[in-house]
Structures are given as C-alpha cells and as structure tokens.
Amino acid sequence: MRHLHDPDSVSAVNLELVTLAEDLAVITWYTGVAGSDDGFGRMLPAVTEGEVVYGTHPARLNRTASEDRDTAHHYVELTDLEPGQTYYYQARSRGSAATPTPLHLVKGNAVGTSLHGFGTHGGPYSFTTPQPPPGRHLLSVALCNDLHLGETTAGLVTGMPLMRGISQRLGLAPYPEIMGEALVAEAHRRGAHHLLAAGDISAGGAPGDLEEARRLLDGFGAYGRDYFVVRGNHDRRGRAVAEAGGDSFLDAFPGGSGESGGARGSGGARGSGGSDTSVGADGGAYFARDLGGLRLLGLDTYEKRGNGAGAGGLSDEQLSWFRGRLREHADQPTLVFGHHPLTVRNSPFPVTGGQRLNGRQARTILDAYATAPGVFLHHAGHTHRNKRTVLPQARHVTLQEVGAVKEYPGGFCLLRIHTGGYALNYYKTSSEPAREWSERSRRVAAGLWPQYALGRSVADRNSVTVRDLSGITPAESRHSAAHR
C-alpha cells in the first residue's frame, strides 16, 4: 500500500488522562505520521519525544515532565502534585500539541475533570486532584480481569460479522501473554500487596491456556496467599471435560484459595490461613478469606451449563452460602469479586442480559448488601470497561467494573485502603509492548471502543470514598508477623 505523506509531519492524538490520584497523574497519547494509514484507519507510528508542560494557571505552564526515550506510544507521569489543586496541562511531541480521544457518544471527556481547553487545538486541559483517603494507608490490592490467555483476535462479536477483529502483528508474542506479564510487573511497581483476578483468565477454558495463566500470575506471588482467582464464562468447563468429571479451571486454580482441602465436590473445607473454601456440587469454586481483618469473598458467576453467551449464574447452594457469610460477618470490612457485574448502566452500545449476572440473583445480592454494612466494594469484569456505579439499594457499596487486561485500555485498578476510606485508581500497563498493543486494539468495534472501555469520565476509573476501615491490619504488620 502506497502512502503519500511527509515523514517529518507528526500528529499527536488519543490524549487521555488515565490515572488521577491526590499526588499523581498519568497521561498517555499516540504520535503518528500525518496523512498515513496502516490499512486499519490508523496513522503509521512516528517515534519521537514526548513531554507534558503543566502548572496551576493556564497561562503559566512552568513545570515539565518528559519521557526517558523516544516512542510513538507516550506515557508520562506527573508526580508531587498537591491534593485539591487544579492543574492545567498540554502534552506535546515535536512541537505538536496532542488532541484528546473523542468521547462524543457519552457524557464526560477523556482528558480532564472539566471542559477547560475544549474548543481549542491541544488545550491546555484541566484537572483537579482529589483529597487522599483519610487516615493511614493499610494495604493496596490490584483488581483485574479478562486476561483471555489463548485468544488470538480481539473484538470479535458473535452475530455481528461486520465487526472487524484486531490481531497481533506478525512476529510478536501473543498479546494476552504480553499484557499478562505487564500486569504483574505494573501491579508490583504500584505497590500492590494482593491481586484479585475476576474471571475470564483464559479464552476458552483450555488446560494449556489456564496453565500459562497460572505461570504468569505466579510471577506476582503465591496463589491463595498473595493473589486470588475466580471463574468467568470463558473459563467454563467444556462438555467433554465436564462429562468426564473434570474441570480444567480448578486443576489450574484449585478451590479458589490454593489449598488442597478445597477439592471438587467437597461442599466446603477449611484451608490454612483462615481460608473458608467452598465448592459447589457442579464443580464451581467460590471462597471466603480473611486477610488481616479484610474479608474477601470470591464468587463463581458461571456456575451453570451453557456456551458462555448467556447471563451469569450462581447455583442455589452458592447463593445460600454467600448470604450466610454476609450475615455472619455483617459489619466486617468486606470486598466481593466475581466476573459478571450486578448491573450494566450508561453503555453507549446495546445492553443484553448476557452482559451481567442473572437479574433475580443480582437483586438478591443487593438486598443482602443492604443488611451487611461492612461490604464496601464489589469488583467485576466481563464488560471490559471502566465504570463506577452506586445503587440506592446499597449506597455503601461501590460497584466497580474494570477494563480488560488483554486489550485497550489494558490495565488494572489499584485499590488503596486507608483507615478512613479507600481510593480506586486505574493504571494502564506501561511496558512498551503493552502500550503498542493497547493502541493497536483501540480500533476494536470499528474504532468506537474507547467510547465504551475507557470510562465515560475520569471518575469512572478514579474515585475516593470515605468510610471507616480501621479494623483492617496493615499489610506490613501481617507480613512481619507471618515471618516471626
């Protein structure tokens, strides 16, 4: 394919304010050769420098943050910011100001907490840093989902033949492996003490893909102590395996906690370290774990027969177990995670029943939350988007959907728990191969994927909530005690 363009003419696009904390912001963008086309409607990459100039007045951008190498996939971190302060910024590459990812199908914008700078070419744009969660930091937990090990094409939608999938460039490693390795490295770099993977660990439940996922996640730490995994609809048992009484997911991630006492068919066992592991009669794993005063409840939201396309579902046994655990520890700080969200709201695309948990069961869970004041967060995947929801039935619970690991925007949400509240901050994985694939896969859904996956606004991927979590033991104290 012949392209007529000036190789020195750079266009900076897809500017996004990804992460916004009380003292930190992460800003990303892409530089391409103006006028070029790679055959998928995207400019050919232009490797060049990148910098962000910023300050507390739009006419005085007197601070600069830059990258340590030239790239087409820019990732700049602003540090030492002041809480509650409004900042103005402009991202630049080779003298060209970066323009935002357009979010014209949804309310909100990709680059700030206000509309300052819109209507201009390149800003400056504006954001206001939040106040930190009150009190002392206790621990941090990486929330992730949808690794899809074994997948080869992103964005294929059943029944929609015009949706063109995106594959990895020839000669490069499979993108689920690139993104999985980058997840583990970034979670470590951001100080996560634990990691929760909320389902769709594999593309189709194949034993080899689940074993590869286990290998990647073991890079974070010990399964059942440092990280925990639940099943998604893609991790369902194949018919032949199920008829033989097997379960490849539980072979790779036995009993939710890594303890042999959670073997299939046990109906419930007590593991070491305060782990209550229960396994449903049809083979689906779910569990409870006490992490120094933080109650962790993992749900198997595809404990049913099916091809994975329908709504998520829990067995009656699991639902009864879950409600009982909430009653027993109603006031204890509790984090729930499972693959299917309880509700899907404010989507720019049509919503189907298959995008969430069975409606009757979701209502039952919300009713249970209403009488369990200790529950503060329900983390879900499946939708592959960042979305924060609070429902009137249980206003004390944040329902947080997190974007997929395996494709744009490609990352995880870091939960930072303090004695007086918590913060949720979304991070893209920052390795060069991960950034390259993230940019390539933003063209999923005919290029409309950012309208859905990034989050309607900064608040969908970055938020702070005030509440008493002082009953949780600091992670450092627990680790010190464990090694005495």
Side-chain angles (χ1 to χ4, degrees), residues 237-246:
R237 292 182 294 168
R239 178 176 298 177
V241 174
E243 289 176 351

Side-chain angles (χ1 to χ4, degrees), residues 27-370:
I27 296 165
T28 65
W29 70 97
Y30 174 74
T31 47
V33 178
S36 65
D37 190 321
D38 67 353
F40 287 86
R42 186 187 73 156
M43 292 182 294
L44 294 168
V47 176
T48 185
E49 79 286 349
E51 68 174 11
V52 174
V53 291
Y54 63 106
T56 57
H57 190 282
R60 291 194 301 275
L61 306 181
N62 54 5
R63 299 172 66 178
T64 302
S66 58
E67 297 169 293
D68 59 2
R69 71 188 72 177
D70 290 355
T71 181
H73 309 93
H74 303 276
Y75 189 110
V76 173
E77 188 168 326
L78 312 184
T79 58
D80 297 323
L81 303 180
E82 294 292 329
Q85 175 67 57
T86 297
Y87 291 91
Y88 302 85
Y89 75 96
Q90 186 178 65
R92 301 171 180 170
S93 287
R94 204 182 297 178
S96 179
T99 57
T101 292
L103 298 183
H104 55 275
L105 297 182
V106 296
K107 295 179 180 178
N109 69 78
V111 295
T113 57
S114 76
L115 292 177
H116 184 91
F118 281 81
T120 67
H121 183 80
Y125 304 105
S126 171
F127 61 80
T128 300
T129 52
Q131 294 294 332
R136 181 166 52 103
H137 178 248
L138 298 173
L139 76 157
S140 296
V141 182
L143 310 177
C144 67
N145 41 264
D146 297 278
L147 285 74
H148 287 233
L149 268 295
E151 184 178 279
T152 58
T153 304
L156 294 180
V157 181
T158 303
M160 301 182 70
L162 297 181
M163 287 294 184
R164 187 178 183 181
I166 305 294
S167 299
Q168 178 64 289
R169 289 197 296 118
L170 292 176
L172 297 183
Y175 63 82
E177 295 178 19
I178 287 175
M179 301 306 282
E181 290 174 353
L183 159 72
V184 168
E186 194 75 22
H188 273 306
R189 186 164 82 91
R190 298 296 177 180
H193 299 98
H194 299 285
L195 182 146
L196 310 182
D200 279 6
I201 309 305
S202 65
D209 295 335
L210 288 162
E211 290 168 5
E212 177 63 14
R214 176 66 187 264
R215 183 191 69 80
L216 287 173
L217 291 173
D218 278 351
F220 182 83
Y223 171 59
R225 184 193 69 193
D226 301 315
Y227 78 92
F228 302 85
V229 180
V230 292
R231 187 199 309 270
N233 55 301
H234 279 269
D235 304 313
R236 65 192 180 277
R237 292 182 294 168
R239 178 176 298 177
V241 174
E243 289 176 351
D247 190 326
S248 299
F249 180 79
L250 288 178
D251 289 341
F253 301 101
S257 71
E259 299 296 333
S260 60
R264 290 187 296 276
S266 68
R270 184 80 178 176
S272 67
S275 175
D276 299 318
T277 302
S278 299
V279 180
D282 66 354
Y286 43 93
F287 61 92
R289 182 71 181 257
D290 190 302
L291 300 177
L294 172 64
R295 190 70 167 163
L296 182 65
L297 296 178
L299 299 179
D300 179 350
T301 64
Y302 206 76
E303 199 181 27
K304 55 181 279 187
R305 303 294 183 189
N307 62 5
L314 283 62
S315 67
D316 291 341
E317 178 189 17
Q318 182 182 176
L319 193 58
S320 175
W321 169 89
F322 179 68
R323 295 170 69 188
R325 287 295 187 272
L326 290 181
R327 285 193 300 269
E328 291 170 2
H329 304 274
D331 296 313
Q332 184 175 358
T334 299
L335 190 167
V336 180
F337 76 117
H339 186 62
H340 292 78
L342 303 183
T343 185
V344 178
R345 298 194 170 193
N346 304 116
S347 171
F349 298 146
V351 175
T352 66
Q355 292 177 328
R356 56 180 177 255
L357 190 67
N358 170 280
R360 176 185 60 82
Q361 293 185 344
R363 288 189 293 272
T364 298
I365 289 174
L366 286 169
D367 288 343
Y369 286 168

